[in-house]
Amino acid sequence: MTRSTFVSADAAELAFVERSGFVESRHIGSAVVLDPDGSPLISLGAPEAPVFTRSSLKPLQAIAAMSFTEQVTGTWAALATASHKCEAGHAEAVAGMLESAGLSVDDLRCPSAHPADGAFRRSLQEAGTGDPTSRLYFNCSGKHAAFLMAATALGAETATYLEPAHPVQARIAEVVEAFAGETPAALGTDGCGAPVFALSLTGLARGIGRVVRLGCTDADSGATSATEPFASFATEARTLMGAVFAEPWAIEGHGRPNSTVIDRLGIFAKGGAEGVIVMSTKAGYSVALKCLDGSSRATGLVALTLLRKAGAIPDISDDLLGEVIAEITESVTGGIDSEGRTAVVGQVNVGEDIARIR
């Protein structure tokens, strides 16, 4: 029997696309918003069904790697949880991570890719390197470099650092279960080759909400009980969140959606492939969702709208929130206007099931 995430009959309408006054597409899926204690404030679709968490899992993978080595700090910590677009600064930082462990690009086990950042790619081409591809330029290279730094600090084998039985991956499994508060429903292979877990959206939101809250509250605040299984990773969470909020560009890239949300709103955001995203406020209000069709076109819009409707971001003005949503949501375009610019002929809107929430 084929294992599966939720099906369309269980889904809610999260967003729709309007073009020239006609609804052209609809995105259905599931979503959940949790308060800092992990209680649901909003639930849509089937948030208890398992989904592959994809890159939204990276903060937990980063914390596990950081628990083995104190060298993953600052920009390197941010890169450990990044899905970067490979600006020059990303490539330089990842190269430094590898060098610190006495390793090279050849030790990375992620695929090769072109830099997604056009300016950096052009600079390499103009420098005479041809059409540049490298494992260093893959969007998960920072995470892989952190894995390798952890393996080296342990004295563990580096060639097999992606195997589920490797000590680094075993620690990741421990961290995921501790923060998410549930046993993963499945283990798969992510696009970068690393193990990836299937969790409920509730478990994903709970886990990342705990990371952000633990990382952004004072050690003596009492916000988290020392008896919680994830509390022992408080140092790593604080280092990680300190790095992410200090250098949002590292998470994705200057002007990119996740980096923009972190920078302008002070909300942690981490998208993943196949329409998954998770966000959390510093106080620990969290949202996780998956568009069933795998599209990420509306995920930022939906996540921020749900946080607003849950009352989780009262200090953010409607004007600022609207500006950021417009900045991170792709326009619906068609042709050019009277001045030769690309014309906007529609927009992405939150779906009916979200619009009716009061």
Side-chain angles (χ1 to χ4, degrees):
M1 180 179 177
T2 302
R3 294 173 295 173
S4 173
T5 188
F6 60 95
V7 298
S8 58
D10 299 324
E13 182 182 277
L14 300 183
F16 68 91
V17 181
E18 174 265 319
R19 176 185 297 274
S20 304
F22 181 87
V23 176
E24 181 176 33
S25 302
R26 298 183 190 274
H27 296 297
I28 63 173
S30 296
V32 67
V33 182
L34 305 181
D35 71 13
D37 294 325
S39 298
L41 298 173
I42 296 173
S43 181
L44 294 167
E48 297 306 319
V51 304
F52 272 134
T53 50
R54 304 303 297 269
S55 287
S56 293
L57 187 72
K58 283 181 179 175
L60 301 180
Q61 293 169 313
I63 282 175
M66 293 165 68
S67 71
F68 287 127
T69 172
E70 295 181 353
Q71 292 190 61
V72 182
T73 61
T75 305
W76 291 359
L79 261 294
T81 195
S83 296
H84 64 76
K85 298 305 176 185
C86 199
E87 298 172 5
H90 292 127
E92 180 181 355
V94 177
M97 294 170 75
L98 293 169
E99 183 179 357
S100 75
L103 301 171
S104 73
V105 174
D106 291 338
D107 293 293
L108 293 171
R109 306 307 301 165
C110 55
S112 292
H114 295 101
D117 180 66
F120 182 47
R121 182 171 176 176
R122 286 190 296 275
S123 73
L124 294 173
Q125 292 169 331
E126 291 166 1
T129 59
D131 194 18
T133 61
S134 170
R135 295 174 184 174
L136 186 69
Y137 305 151
F138 194 81
N139 73 334
C140 300
S141 63
K143 176 181 76 175
H144 283 247
F147 290 168
L148 284 165
M149 291 174 70
T152 301
L154 279 170
E157 176 65 53
T158 56
T160 59
Y161 74 90
L162 294 182
E163 295 295 326
H166 190 279
V168 173
Q169 299 304 326
R171 174 60 60 84
I172 290 170
E174 172 190 339
V175 169
V176 167
E177 190 158 345
F179 276 89
E182 67 183 44
T183 301
L187 178 67
T189 303
D190 212 337
C192 67
V196 63
F197 297 95
L199 297 172
S200 70
L201 289 169
T202 299
L204 176 61
R206 183 189 299 121
I208 302 307
R210 285 171 167 174
V211 170
V212 179
R213 187 185 188 196
L214 189 63
C216 294
T217 54
D218 186 88
D220 299 321
S221 68
T224 300
S225 170
T227 62
E228 294 282 4
F230 56 87
S232 60
F233 298 101
T235 297
E236 292 80 11
R238 293 189 187 99
T239 298
L240 182 61
M241 288 299 108
V244 167
F245 284 107
E247 301 189 78
W249 69 272
I251 292 297
E252 192 173 7
H254 290 91
R256 301 295 301 178
N258 289 177
S259 294
T260 297
V261 171
I262 296 167
D263 184 36
R264 298 198 62 194
L265 300 180
I267 296 171
F268 178 78
K270 190 72 199 72
E274 294 299 319
V276 178
I277 196 169
V278 64
M279 293 187 186
S280 177
T281 70
K282 294 178 181 179
Y285 288 93
S286 57
V287 57
L289 66 93
K290 176 180 172 63
C291 281
L292 192 56
D293 61 2
S295 172
S296 296
R297 173 164 53 183
T299 55
L301 160 68
V302 172
L304 289 173
T305 300
L306 287 173
L307 285 174
R308 167 64 91 211
K309 285 183 173 288
I313 47 176
D315 296 333
I316 297 175
S317 70
D318 289 340
D319 287 345
L320 176 58
L321 186 64
E323 286 177 15
V324 171
I325 286 175
E327 189 173 341
I328 67 172
T329 306
E330 292 183 18
S331 299
V332 177
T333 59
I336 58 175
D337 63 18
S338 60
E339 303 202 1
R341 297 169 300 192
T342 300
V344 175
V345 298
Q347 63 183 356
V348 183
N349 302 282
V350 294
E352 182 179 340
D353 289 326
I354 294 176
R356 66 164 60 106
I357 298 172
R358 301 301 178 195

